[in-house]
Amino acid sequence: MRNVTIIGSGPAGYTAAIYTARANLKPVLIEGSQPGGQLTITTEVENFPGFPNGLDGPQLMENMKKQAARFSTEFMQNNVTSVDLSKRPFSIVLDNKNTIQTKTLIIATGATARLLGIESETKLMGYGVSACATCDGFFYRDLDVMVMGGGDTAVEEAIFLTRFAKTVTIIHRRDALRASKIMQEKAFKNEKIKFQWNSVIEEILDVGRQKVTGVKLKNTKTGEITTHPCDGVFIAIGHSPNTAIFKGQLELNETGYIITKPGTSKTNVEGVFAAGDVQDPIYRQAVTAAGTGCMAAIDAERFLEDNP
Ligand code: NDP
């Protein structure tokens, strides 16, 4: 029987591990299919406090893992296939068919940025293609960038990028934005922002040179293909929280994020806590994920004091 099981190995999961391990709770952390989480697909991270010269995303995650290991966190390189949260102890079933019984559960499974699914996007991810303007916008000072998407995220990222970039072109598959009216107005008023309506990215150039030099766009009405030069491409077509295995067992919002009680990491099931992007559609930063990971650890520790 485990005191604390943590699912997920991003900043939220590792921070929860560091705190619960230091509280002598001997946590087990199940790493999942993308060990280290979303930061492992970025290059340089310059906004995580404590690293004045920045560091690579994968290195930051390696550091967090080492810190969790130093206090005897047990790591499992597995995926969770199902959970039973209907009674305590909770049951966590792994892909190797083993079952973990645990008194508390911290869910830090994160969210996955939706991507276009084209080969050039995968090959140039981190080399001019990004799914996070806050992380990578700074590198595009006086350059021309494209943002794919028409929702609030795309518009917000485009506005943020105008702080650095020379021009920001929003590429949207329809001729009207999905974003809220107020965000739309801001975007339309911003002289640096241009629009390519009724367009989707067919290919990002140039895989051969391992850097972004432009995009091939396909007109969704006419099928016409055109080439547009640019220096960076931001994909902002939404995020999906990784909550499929909790559906029907935990309270989720209409877009699938876990609902936590305001100001805490508590879910609607006592003893189950959520931290990081899986419960945060708004901030989605490494540092906020780490912060809520700490909250989940302290909430779990207090729960165990009352329910040994
Ligand atoms: P949304 O789902 O709202 O928007 C996704 C956008 O991407 C849509 O315009 C959609 O097009 C487009 N899209 C989706 N899939 C593809 C694809 N395969 N190819 C091309 N385009 C695609 O996601 P967001 O991340 O923008 O927002 C999520 C939620 O978070 C929303 O409720 C939003 O309001 C909220 N949010 C609020 C913010 C704020 O208030 N400041 C900031 C950020 C998010 P189409 O329109 O045709 O479906």
Side-chain angles (χ1 to χ4, degrees):
M1 168 85 67
R2 304 285 182 162
N3 290 314
V4 182
T5 300
I6 300 162
I7 312 178
S9 56
Y14 285 144
T15 305
I18 292 165
Y19 272 77
T20 50
R22 293 190 78 255
N24 240 354
L25 294 172
K26 300 190 171 33
V28 57
L29 185 147
I30 304 160
E31 292 188 303
S33 57
Q34 190 183 12
Q38 291 188 72
L39 278 181
T40 58
I41 56 164
T42 63
T43 46
E44 205 174 353
V45 179
E46 292 188 323
N47 55 8
F48 199 87
F51 298 92
N53 301 317
L55 78 172
D56 282 350
Q59 184 64 53
L60 177 61
M61 299 323 298
E62 193 50 41
N63 289 356
M64 287 192 197
K65 183 173 179 177
K66 276 192 195 144
Q67 198 173 349
R70 185 177 146 210
F71 302 108
S72 305
T73 299
E74 184 181 338
F75 297 99
M76 289 187 180
Q77 281 85 31
N78 291 96
N79 269 320
V80 174
T81 53
S82 66
V83 295
D84 181 358
L85 308 180
S86 62
K87 56 182 184 312
R88 284 205 305 272
F90 307 119
S91 300
I92 316 293
V93 182
L94 304 180
D95 50 6
N96 61 6
K97 307 271 187 279
N98 285 350
T99 299
I100 296 173
Q101 301 285 323
T102 187
K103 292 181 192 171
T104 65
L105 175 65
I106 295 177
I107 300 170
T109 48
T112 307
R114 275 189 238 138
L115 295 174
L116 299 168
I118 55 176
E119 200 184 336
S120 50
E121 172 191 54
T122 317
K123 292 216 161 127
L124 291 169
M125 184 60 71
Y127 298 91
V129 177
S130 167
C132 176
T134 330
C135 319
D136 299 326
F138 182 77
F139 303 114
Y140 294 89
R141 197 171 286 282
D142 293 325
L143 296 175
D144 299 306
V145 299
M146 306 265 180
V147 176
M148 177 83 226
D152 276 321
T153 302
V155 172
E156 195 172 66
E157 301 226 324
I159 293 169
F160 178 78
L161 286 166
T162 60
R163 293 186 200 180
F164 313 102
K166 188 160 70 189
T167 65
V168 179
T169 306
I170 294 180
I171 307 164
H172 186 32
R173 61 184 175 185
R174 297 184 292 123
D175 62 1
L177 294 172
R178 174 181 296 280
S180 52
K181 286 282 172 283
I182 186 158
M183 296 291 283
Q184 294 198 23
E185 276 169 26
K186 276 191 194 167
F188 292 138
K189 267 198 223 145
N190 192 314
E191 285 177 357
K192 282 189 173 178
I193 298 180
K194 304 177 194 174
F195 294 87
Q196 278 286 338
W197 302 111
N198 299 316
S199 301
V200 287
I201 297 176
E202 185 81 355
E203 189 187 340
I204 303 169
L205 308 168
D206 183 347
V207 170
R209 293 170 63 191
Q210 267 238 327
K211 68 173 198 171
V212 170
T213 58
V215 285
K216 273 190 188 168
L217 298 185
K218 182 179 178 180
N219 188 299
T220 51
K221 291 256 158 80
T222 63
E224 190 193 354
I225 308 268
T226 49
T227 301
H228 304 256
C230 68
D231 305 291
V233 175
F234 289 83
I235 310 295
I237 59 173
H239 283 78
S240 307
N242 301 319
T243 50
I245 51 171
F246 309 111
K247 218 167 257 174
Q249 304 199 57
L250 286 180
E251 218 182 313
L252 307 179
N253 77 7
E254 66 285 352
T255 46
Y257 286 86
I258 296 176
I259 296 174
T260 49
K261 298 204 171 80
T264 77
S265 68
K266 295 174 187 171
T267 69
N268 64 313
V269 175
E270 278 192 35
V272 178
F273 307 92
D277 287 11
V278 74
Q279 51 84 56
D280 173 15
I282 298 168
Y283 303 104
R284 296 195 295 235
Q285 299 302 300
V287 68
T288 49
T292 53
C294 162
M295 287 164 66
I298 292 173
D299 286 341
E301 191 182 340
R302 295 197 177 145
F303 177 86
L304 286 168
E305 277 166 17
D306 297 337
N307 303 271

